[in-house]
Amino acid sequence: SQKIEQNSEALNIQEGKTATLTCNYTNYSPAYLQWYRQDPGRGPVFLLLIRENEKEKRKERLKVTFDTTLKQSLFHITASQPADSATYLCAPPDGQNFVFGPGTRLSVLP
Amino acid sequence: EADIYQTPRYLVIGTGKKITLECSQTMGHDKMYWYQQDPGMELHLIHYSYGVNSTEKGDLSSESTVSRIRTEHFPLTLESARPSHTSQYLCASRRGQGYSGYTFGSGTRLTVV
């Protein structure tokens, strides 16, 4: 069955450093993948979409890569700030819907 | 700014009561979804709709039902609430075509006592 894994439940980094979150998927080959941010008690917010023919996508301090050979997407936040603390979810498509990964809880320490 | 609204934001209700969680969107999106999420846990799809008069069950079995009589409105109903229904319920929508992402509402935190 299709499976999505995201690195460690929680990631703590120091303010100003680059946070790198991973999303690994098995048993299927999505043509694109989305990333979301979720704050406690709120719904996820769409951040970025990357297609299989785009090796890298950037938006301000965010960068996403998509390696279809490794079946992996990496999500980077550069110059991280305490306000970046949240849970980040990857979401590949499943038919016309999306499947959300378990998420990685990022804490940026001042 | 998200244009999808869920009410109520919080609800505490007794066992056996019938409840309806409201979800409305003003973006004209064809596709709408209901997810269930416990604190610190994954999102689970419980219902979805691709348009008016179209509803499907999601991956997680749920005792709730939904209806889609108007494009903008996708209410979720529990005929008889139980403590096991205590959770957060999130409504989302997206455009029918293309690679658009979901727009989520703020959620309804349901507690059944």
Side-chain angles (χ1 to χ4, degrees):
Chain A
S1 62
Q2 299 170 348
K3 190 174 180 181
I4 304 164
E5 293 179 328
Q6 294 191 243
N7 63 319
S8 63
E9 283 188 17
L11 179 65
N12 298 325
I13 64 165
Q14 210 65 37
E15 181 176 7
K17 300 292 186 182
T18 296
T20 298
L21 286 64
T22 62
C23 174
N24 297 296
Y25 51 91
T26 55
N27 294 331
Y28 73 133
S29 301
Y32 58 99
L33 188 144
Q34 300 184 348
W35 282 88
Y36 289 78
R37 167 183 173 142
Q38 186 175 24
D39 292 291
R42 314 295 290 187
V45 174
F46 172 71
L47 295 175
L48 282 168
L49 176 147
I50 185 165
R51 298 183 178 91
E52 61 181 343
N53 62 347
E54 298 174 315
K55 296 304 179 187
E56 181 180 295
K57 193 84 168 276
R58 291 177 184 263
K59 179 182 177 182
E60 298 173 351
R61 294 184 295 110
L62 309 180
K63 185 179 83 170
V64 173
T65 62
F66 193 18
D67 190 325
T68 54
T69 302
L70 293 178
K71 294 186 181 292
Q72 180 182 79
S73 177
L74 298 180
F75 179 86
H76 307 272
I77 305 175
T78 59
S80 60
Q81 304 166 0
D84 295 326
S85 298
T87 296
Y88 292 87
L89 312 168
C90 67
D94 179 17
Q96 296 190 57
N97 301 330
F98 289 86
V99 177
F100 287 89
T104 297
R105 188 171 67 251
L106 174 68
S107 296
V108 181
L109 308 173
Chain B
E1 192 72 29
D3 296 304
I4 183 165
Y5 307 98
Q6 290 188 243
T7 57
R9 184 79 175 88
Y10 301 94
L11 179 62
V12 180
I13 201 162
T15 297
K17 298 292 186 183
K18 178 181 178 178
I19 58 171
T20 296
L21 307 184
E22 299 289 347
C23 177
S24 294
Q25 51 96 4
T26 59
M27 298 169 284
H29 288 171
D30 289 325
K31 296 180 176 174
M32 295 190 74
Y33 305 83
W34 277 102
Y35 285 85
Q36 185 174 344
Q37 186 179 37
D38 293 322
M41 305 299 285
E42 297 181 40
L43 284 157
H44 293 285
L45 179 64
I46 52 174
H47 295 284
Y48 60 97
S49 168
Y50 290 161
V52 170
N53 294 326
S54 152
T55 61
E56 300 288 344
K57 288 187 180 294
D59 306 319
L60 181 68
S61 175
S62 173
E63 293 166 343
S64 58
T65 60
V66 292
S67 63
R68 189 88 183 275
I69 298 173
R70 303 195 314 268
T71 297
E72 63 272 22
H73 193 215
F74 191 41
L76 181 144
T77 298
L78 276 166
E79 291 292 333
S80 180
R82 296 210 301 265
S84 61
H85 295 140
T86 295
S87 189
Q88 176 160 9
Y89 293 84
L90 290 159
C91 181
S93 71
R94 65 187 285 257
R95 282 201 324 261
Q97 290 79 35
Y99 300 107
S100 61
Y102 289 130
T103 300
F104 278 87
S106 296
T108 293
R109 168 73 63 190
L110 173 65
T111 302
V112 184
V113 297

